[in-house]
Amino acid sequence: MSKSVIYWFRQDLRLADNPALLHAAHSGKTVIPIFIFDPDDRSLGMAASWWRQQSLAKLEAALKKIGGKLSFYEGRPVEVLQKLSDFYEADEIVWNRQYDGYSVSRDKEIKQTLPNSGTGNIECKSFNASLLFEPWLIQNKSGSYFKVFTPYWRQCMAGNAPEAPCPPPTELRSHPDVDPFQIPLPASPLTADADLIAEEWTPGEAGAYQQFENFIEEGLEIYAEFRDFPDRPATSRLSPYLRWGEISPRQIWSKIQFVKSHEKFSEQTISKFLAEIGWREFSHHLIYHVPEMATQNLQPSFNDFPWLENEEALLQWQAGNTGYPLVDAGMRELRRTGYMHNRVRMITASFLIKHLMIDWRAGEKYFWDRLLDACPANNITGWQWVAGSGADAAPFFRIFNPIIQGEKFDPQGAYTKRFIPELSHLEQKHLFSPWKVKSDNMDLDFQEGQYPDPIVEHGYARNRALDAFQQIRR
Ligand SMILES: Cc1cc2nc3c(=O)[nH]c(=O)nc-3n(C[C@H](O)[C@H](O)[C@H](O)COP(=O)(O)OP(=O)(O)OC[C@H]3O[C@@H](n4cnc5c(N)ncnc54)[C@H](O)[C@@H]3O)c2cc1C
């Protein structure tokens, strides 16, 4: 009987451009593709677990077509892998790398423990499948990591181009035996308030390609101009696919290079889009080099920030009942669709941190629980960026005015009215400050009691936040 190789799927739920899987397929050994539900990893919210469940079911079917069988397990990966390598007499375990603190230390433990345990002689190998540039390869002049995006990205662009994506395996040799440790793929129910998630999204590798094709057809051309407008189909909405590895940044990079040379997209729109893929790289660069930033301020001066404990306001923000229509539309979009547009993420996060002075960690946790794309690197860096406590962050004293942001970025009100239909009768000039309609008693269509008054007055909140910021600058 030939030896076996265990291939461990994690956040790389695809067949194409999957170097660890291709290595296993080409090894000449029988391949055991597995997925482990790890109780020590940060538990997912409802939307992200739904996505993962859907994606795993599609992956299982895709593997079957090339002779593979995906098996599921629950437990500490080091223990599960030990049991499986004993059972299948595996001499090799392969996976694609992850970069957050928990994953790095878990994988290190596995690499240190398994080769010297049980039957011995187990080789553990990892590959890069989720980044264009490994975090340790991009260094500043003093040999350290980058803390500012622009020089980071310039350095990335100055070096070798990212590697080309690798092809999917065409065949896997399955093991004839079946181990007794497997569990069925758990079901993942959605709640009633998440009614649009299954309607709007198609998880899986094929769904990712379709989404990317649609973006190239309809969004890329207008990306640079309209990416900040939530009612325009200008952004790719690839984030959940990238989060779960149903498409890789190398695939995106290489396709964009191809369309760049064959079609008429402006240089500006192409480089703007690639720079956002660059922000994803930068987030992973930061979380790899400073894993503590998952829970701590990157800038220690923020450790003394006088955050307020305000459970009631936090709940109103979560429910989309702050009385500021663009903030509320964003929070309701998140609840119903598992997604929120980037500009609106910045506005809702800013409102929580600066208008309500609630610690960014409470917001990060809520986004983590609700987002389909909840990402250990991007969510943390996004929140610390808005708070001003992160790397290359927006300065704290720049406080978004939610009324002006609405007027500017939702100029027809289509986005806001979609998620707050009770405001759909309001004229555009009143949409982002509906309380004025009430006080002027001007709009007969506005039904009192349906939409809340602002939970905090903008001018007051702004001054309070600036005073608090002065305290940590002293
Ligand atoms: C408070 C806050 C929290 C966030 N949490 C997450 C998160 O959990 N997961 C997540 O993927 N993104 C997060 N982002 C970044 C960004 O909002 C989303 O990646 C983007 O809105 C996804 O939409 P898209 O795919 O249409 O983006 P596009 O504009 O089409 O960008 C293409 C891809 O580039 C990456 N990207 C774009 N903007 C950023 C950015 N600012 N930082 C890092 N990567 C970026 C994403 O992978 C995205 O899919 C957060 C931003 C903020 C301000």
Side-chain angles (χ1 to χ4, degrees), residues 223 235-239 276 339 342 345 373 375 378-379:
Y223 186 78
T235 72
S236 70
R237 291 169 68 98
L238 281 171
S239 51
E276 294 310 316
Y339 177 84
N342 180 60
R345 288 187 205 204
D373 63 28
C375 166
N378 284 358
N379 201 33

Side-chain angles (χ1 to χ4, degrees), residues 166-430:
C166 60
T170 49
E171 195 181 358
L172 294 183
R173 282 182 57 214
S174 274
H175 200 285
D177 299 340
V178 177
D179 67 81
F181 317 116
Q182 301 180 20
I183 57 162
L185 175 59
S188 167
L190 285 174
T191 58
D193 65 352
D195 56 344
L196 294 178
I197 292 185
E199 232 173 81
E200 292 204 351
W201 297 95
T202 311
E205 206 169 352
Y209 296 151
Q210 189 58 56
Q211 183 72 30
F212 191 28
E213 285 300 328
N214 294 349
F215 171 64
I216 290 171
E217 295 259 307
E218 288 161 25
L220 184 56
E221 198 178 351
I222 56 169
Y223 186 78
E225 198 178 350
F226 291 117
R227 59 180 289 272
D228 277 325
F229 294 78
D231 71 321
R232 302 293 294 250
T235 72
S236 70
R237 291 169 68 98
L238 281 171
S239 51
Y241 299 101
L242 277 161
R243 160 66 170 94
W244 293 105
E246 293 150 315
I247 192 166
S248 77
R250 284 192 294 246
Q251 290 172 302
I252 292 176
W253 183 272
S254 112
K255 177 83 180 180
I256 292 289
Q257 301 309 316
F258 177 78
V259 299
K260 192 171 150 184
S261 60
H262 286 78
E263 296 182 40
K264 292 188 194 88
F265 294 107
S266 72
E267 180 57 38
Q268 192 204 10
T269 210
I270 297 260
S271 53
K272 190 73 201 148
F273 177 65
L274 291 180
E276 294 310 316
I277 301 291
W279 271 98
R280 177 180 177 277
E281 297 280 316
F282 185 51
S283 299
H284 286 80
H285 179 81
L286 288 173
I287 205 83
Y288 175 77
H289 288 288
V290 199
E292 309 77 47
M293 73 179 282
T295 52
Q296 291 164 35
N297 297 305
L298 193 65
Q299 293 181 34
S301 59
F302 272 80
N303 293 347
D304 296 325
F305 194 85
W307 301 115
L308 299 177
E309 292 281 331
N310 190 340
E311 189 60 22
E312 199 187 333
L314 177 63
L315 291 173
Q316 282 164 320
W317 174 81
Q318 292 176 348
N321 282 328
T322 67
Y324 287 94
L326 187 58
V327 173
D328 293 343
M331 297 309 294
R332 294 182 194 189
E333 178 185 25
L334 177 60
R335 267 178 118 93
R336 293 188 62 196
T337 71
Y339 177 84
M340 195 196 296
H341 184 276
N342 180 60
R343 163 83 16 197
V344 191
R345 288 187 205 204
M346 294 195 303
I347 294 162
T348 53
S350 170
F351 189 85
L352 184 79
I353 294 167
K354 298 177 188 182
H355 284 73
L356 301 179
M357 287 205 2
I358 292 179
D359 193 326
W360 62 265
R361 282 162 278 229
E364 192 276 336
K365 182 178 178 312
Y366 186 71
F367 270 31
W368 177 270
D369 285 343
R370 290 280 169 170
L371 281 169
L372 291 165
D373 63 28
C375 166
N378 284 358
N379 201 33
I380 296 288
T381 45
W383 276 93
Q384 293 228 36
W385 186 88
V386 175
S389 62
D392 201 2
F396 187 89
F397 58 78
R398 244 183 240 151
I399 297 176
F400 284 130
N401 177 328
I403 306 158
I404 294 175
Q405 290 289 312
E407 289 164 353
K408 194 166 167 192
F409 293 110
D410 191 18
Q412 267 78 52
Y415 171 80
T416 302
K417 288 180 176 177
R418 175 173 180 222
F419 291 105
I420 314 187
E422 62 267 39
L423 297 183
S424 59
H425 297 302
L426 284 190
E427 284 179 61
Q428 181 66 7
K429 63 180 175 184
H430 299 307

Side-chain angles (χ1 to χ4, degrees), residues 8 34 36-41 73-84 102 105-107 109-110 113-114:
W8 179 18
I34 66 163
I36 305 173
F37 294 92
D38 175 358
D40 294 338
D41 206 349
Y73 303 88
E74 189 167 22
R76 292 194 67 227
V78 66
E79 289 161 15
V80 173
L81 290 168
Q82 179 68 71
K83 279 196 293 196
L84 293 179
Y102 171 72
S105 57
R106 176 191 62 191
D107 295 352
E109 184 198 350
I110 291 168
T113 317
L114 284 187

Side-chain angles (χ1 to χ4, degrees), residues 436-457:
K436 286 191 185 153
V437 179
K438 270 193 208 170
S439 60
D440 297 351
N441 206 9
M442 279 160 46
D443 188 345
L444 299 174
D445 281 328
F446 190 82
Q447 292 174 32
E448 190 146 359
Q450 270 199 344
Y451 183 73
D453 285 331
I455 57 173
V456 66
E457 196 268 318

